[in-house]
Amino acid sequence: MLGSGNMDRINVPPAGPMDLPLSLLEMGCSGRFELITHPIPNQPLPPQSTLPHGLPPISLSLETEVEKQFLRDAAWLPIHDTDFAFQKFLKVTQREVNVDSLINCTPSSLHSDVSVVRDPTTGMLLDFTEVLLENTSLSAKNSLSLQRQPGPPSESLRGSNTNYPFLPGGMEELTLDQIQKKSELEEDIDFENDLLRIPPGLKAGMDFTDKDAKIAKAEVNLMSLLSTLNDITYLQPEAEEKEEGKGSKEAPKLPRTNSLEDLGIKDVVSSSTPSDKGKDDKSKPKGNLEENKKWAIPVNITSPCDDFYKRIPNPAFKWPFELDVFQKQAVLRLEAHDSVFVAAHTSAGKTVVAEYAIALSQKHMTRTIYTSPIKALSNQKFRDFKNTFGDVGLLTGDVQLSPESSCLIMTTEILRSMLYNGSEVIRDLEWVIFDEVHYINDAERGVVWEEVLIMLPDHVSIILLSATVPNALEFSDWIGRIKKKHIYVISTMKRPVPLEHYLYTGNSTKTQKEMFLLMDATGNFLTKGYYAAVDAKKERTSKHAQSFGTKSTSHNTSASQDRSVWLTLLHFLSQRQQTPVVAFTFSRTRCDDNARSLDSMDMTTSIEKAEIHSFFQKSLSRLRGGDRQLPQILVMRDLLKRGIAVHHSGILPILKEVLFATETFAMGVNMPARTVVFDSIRKHDGTGFRNLLPGEYIQMAGRAGRRGLDPTGTVIILCKAGVQEMSDLRVMMLGKPTTLQSQFRLTYTMILNLLRVEALRVTDMMRRSFSESHRDTQAHEKRISQLKKMVSSLPPLDTEGQLSDMLPYYHTVTELRTTTEALQRAILESVNGLKALSVGRVVVVNNEQHLNALGVILQVSSDSVNRTFTALVICEKGNEEGEGKENNNTFPHFYNTALFIPEGPCSHTVQKLKLQDISAITVKTLKVIPDRIIDNYKKRQQPRFRLDPPGQAISTATQELLRLAEANPSGIATLDPVNDLQLKSVDVVEDSMRVRVLQDILREFNCIHSPTFAEQFARVKERMSVQEELDRLLFLVSDQSLSLLPEYHQRIKVLQSLQYVDSSGAVQLKGRVACQISSHELLLTELLFENVLSPLAPEDSAALLSCLVFTQNTQVEPHITNTLKEGIDRVLSVAKRIGELQRDCGIPQTAEEFVGQFKFGLTEVVYCWARGMPFAEIAQLTDVQEGTVVRCIQRLDEVLKEVRQAARIVGDSVLGSKMEKASLAIRRDIVFTASLYTH
């Protein structure tokens, strides 16, 4: 308002005698006026205002604005141009050259704020003080901290792909001293010489050579000014330096690194900052500070929770029923703000936990995010929670309802992108609820769960709800470890409604009562029932089989047989009032046939019929006229009226939901019934038929029994062709449900999203994945510090004079040892080697006791794993027992091949040798009588025969060996593995050559001649063994040992060669685009940049992109236009190029496999649909079921949205609007009739 004072006032003529003395007074600027009827004398009458400067301007005249801005005042033209025309121009416009205006820098953000001091008792204002602000320069573009300023409101929900995510919990930020510590990679920069001319990543740089520049004399020496302000730099808050990862003083010393690890900092050192120590002490129970701490804490749910109401006097949410113990325990944990993992059966009431968390976050004014794997489940939960809490929003790929609510329901993928893009929602987040966690086993999407769990910041607590899983503790321990917080595990096997499992063999009115109890409500398996069923079935088949003479029972039965079984069963059940029934059939066609074959059944009363009819009509009123006549809908309507419904992935989504809504006979997401029937227990899982897994069976059978309605639930397995194998049934009913397994894999989107942010590294993500959870880094770290202490406490090595080549000697010996061991293993595993090492072979023995002594083999043990050889070896008299000199430490036999010849009388010993003890196999053999030698030797080991002379066989053998040794004192000819034993594999040849080389090298060393050699070598050996263990552990803790590391490097190579990232790992434009896309990111990005989509019409591009979402094979050959054919060829050629590139970079997937995942079976369908053909006609074009078509088109819409985003980033507005058009063209009618749940 201050500026409008110099506006031209409106000149109103003075009031004449005819004018009424009225005046308008404007109140403020809200547009309210008051009429003043008694004007103050000698005041002008024109409109008056309570505003200090009259009325605000109404509307600007554009012409005067333009004239004023561009002609009268040419401030927007540069005035520092030396060109002649400009000099003239300056004279015309009378502007002074103003050099100071060039030195313009943006003001830094305020570093202080004013805060109020109040009297604590009365609340009176006492004073204002200035407070220094920290972290003023943080923004979503440069910091992971929650202290950073919020971004623009438009990005608050989904975030932006240039934002940093918030710091994931469990990853520490750097402290100042860690940053100051220099790592090996840094060097001090000399600011005078050899500076970089070209910044990393740029092609051209600066030229720093001295030019003769006219140097103006500096009026003021800036440096001298600054020196007086030295102390200012210390005012800078330390936290800011910590956050930014670059302190003011260290900035020049840090090269740009993509990782914290390059700075020599391990992210496991949590106690480096004093504040952390304090925090940890509080969170750990005092007792077990030292022992390895367990992150997962199992909660005992056997004892009743009596003091529940005492501990929570006013709960955030009350239920109409009394909670079970496990629910109470979970609620107590939530009140304490802990993370929980609840594993319980389907109908046990896990939702209670979710509901309580939502209620708590409403009470605390925070937010909860509820994620589920399946869209239908999200929709259903949305309706349930909306009815309960009201303030609930839904975010799925295609729907966004009230995103500002305190409880948001979304698919996991969306939560993942919100985390990567640093959405502001995360700030207010208190709980994330993961429903159906056992979905982490899903090969396709399991990895998303792990990414989300790893990326969640520290302040968010996690609630995991899952079906019963055997390794709940292990899984929770993993989450606890990566998040550094305790996870309370509550698992219950109890069912609120116990199940009874039956076998059913009836197939006609006569046999309709043949139902046999197989497992009772307490979980006992009854074999009696099983045999009774077998008998009943046999009785019928035997009569039948006698007439045909064969006894084959096939797995498949004809439709008419099926029909009779079903009719019989349903009659029987409705008589016994066992309806509603859910029947599971593991084939979609079978499912439809069975329902159609029930045309004579009628299970509803006329009142129910009317209700069903009106509900159905109401639901379908959202469809267009033509769509209401679809065959599937008509068939379904008849079935529904009779109380029968069908549900599988081929059904139209709107119908699926109608089905959930009809109470009578439904199958689906959360529809308990009294009885569950299994048509068969075999299922086709995409590769072949297999029996149901216990987990699947339990999940499905759990639909039986409605809480509060039925005393027990009934599960019936039909025996149509014959009774199933008892072992199969047992495994299925009593087997362990499937364990949670990591499906973690690297995706390009993940790699690019993490490369975008310097402080997060892909290896950090990999190290934290569930697949690496076995790496117990904590234990390793402990051992590493012990070993480091040991190394430092060992006596120093003497490496003077003769001993100077001690270490190289040690390394050579070690290599020789490992190589010979490898060689020996190869010999033992070969046929020829074993033949050579047979009874009577003379060998050279080296072990604790013998040095190059000859021995002869007497016996070879039969176990192939640790084979031992019993041999007679010659030795000194008095050294039979082997208390000889410890000469083994120095491995002299490696360089000294002189054979052992006893100095005194020759004696012998018989011992079991390991393969390592036999250092060479000679070419000689002796005739020996092993049994006699061994028996005689054993006998003489007994005290009373100790002094007997050795038997004939032994003395002969000993003499022979001694003669051989004396004949070849400097070494005896040995069998060469390559030439004599005919081992021709590359490894063996290389090893044996290497052994020869190493043996020659060893003879050259000086240290072996030193008098103190033996003891010094023992020291080296001790030191080195500690060092080796240390290195091994350091390797295990380092990123090098990650199982996915090679694949990571391969994928980085792919990204570099496609120019998604540059050589230093910085994400380029293509990479930014790929970040936006959740699946098939490489193919889509390449299509964008190769302009494959731009020339196409919207419907063509939609049809082409359908290959990304359609996964089935079709038999029908689509009829398509030529442009589409060309488009398909281009897509395939791009895919082939990517596939080949991936293979060249070492990714184990052939180009054919990569190309093969894109299926073009729905191109024609989508093309026609986008051009407006009604659904009924489209369904005729293909053999794919209606529901599948609808689902593909819905997913296609999500892809189109992603492409639109991507086109925006590239700046291709034409393509963006095309995608928008395509998206509008397919978003119509039955495909996008909004879910009934969201209304």
Side-chain angles (χ1 to χ4, degrees), residues 624 626-627 629-631 1164-1165 1168-1169 1172-1182 1186 1189 1228:
R624 228 177 51 168
D627 288 343
Q629 300 305 311
L630 286 177
E1164 182 191 10
V1165 174
C1168 296
W1169 175 250
M1173 187 188 272
F1175 197 79
E1177 293 174 36
I1178 280 182
Q1180 309 299 309
L1181 292 175
T1182 174
E1186 290 97 321
V1189 173
R1228 60 186 180 84

Side-chain angles (χ1 to χ4, degrees), residues 823-850:
L823 256 181
Q824 286 170 325
R825 269 200 304 279
I827 292 174
L828 247 199
E829 283 162 7
S830 70
V831 184
N832 292 348
L834 275 176
K835 269 192 203 144
L837 282 167
S838 53
V839 175
R841 172 70 64 183
V842 177
V843 291
V844 181
V845 178
N846 275 295
N847 59 10
E848 310 274 313
Q849 183 182 349
H850 306 286

Side-chain angles (χ1 to χ4, degrees), residues 912-957:
K912 281 203 162 103
L913 301 177
K914 292 201 193 61
L915 181 64
Q916 291 85 301
D917 304 338
I918 300 177
S919 56
I921 307 173
T922 65
V923 289
K924 300 273 190 276
T925 53
L926 297 180
K927 279 230 175 328
V928 286
I929 312 165
D931 302 349
R932 276 201 202 158
I933 295 182
I934 293 171
D935 292 347
N936 178 290
Y937 185 78
K938 274 193 183 146
K939 179 179 139 197
R940 285 185 307 120
Q941 289 307 304
Q942 297 167 11
R944 55 181 190 171
F945 301 121
R946 170 115 344 140
L947 297 171
D948 289 13
Q952 177 59 42
I954 290 195
S955 42
T956 321

Side-chain angles (χ1 to χ4, degrees), residues 101-137:
S101 69
L102 290 175
I103 314 170
N104 174 26
C105 66
T106 53
S108 59
S109 44
L110 291 174
H111 64 284
S112 67
D113 198 358
V114 174
S115 98
V116 178
V117 183
R118 292 180 181 276
D119 182 310
T121 47
T122 62
M124 286 271 294
L125 282 182
L126 300 179
D127 194 4
F128 292 95
T129 56
E130 184 176 18
V131 222
L132 287 182
L133 295 178
E134 300 187 354
N135 313 335
T136 47
S137 59

Side-chain angles (χ1 to χ4, degrees), residues 230-301:
N230 253 345
D231 48 352
I232 288 187
T233 47
Y234 295 109
L235 289 177
Q236 208 179 19
E238 279 189 21
E240 180 168 337
E241 300 187 4
K242 181 166 77 187
E243 291 284 350
E244 292 299 25
K246 304 183 176 62
S248 56
K249 299 189 288 296
E250 295 74 33
K253 289 188 246 163
L254 285 173
R256 171 177 186 278
T257 96
N258 265 338
S259 79
L260 309 184
E261 227 92 319
D262 295 355
L263 297 176
I265 295 146
K266 280 277 166 282
D267 66 342
V268 238
V269 200
S270 63
S271 53
S272 51
T273 53
S275 65
D276 273 7
K277 276 187 192 144
K279 257 194 308 211
D280 281 5
D281 290 355
K282 277 194 234 70
S283 61
K284 291 183 230 169
K286 279 279 177 290
N288 60 355
L289 276 177
E290 288 314 306
E291 312 109 61
N292 192 357
K293 64 179 193 208
K294 281 270 171 275
W295 293 108
I297 302 175
V299 176
N300 173 21
I301 54 161

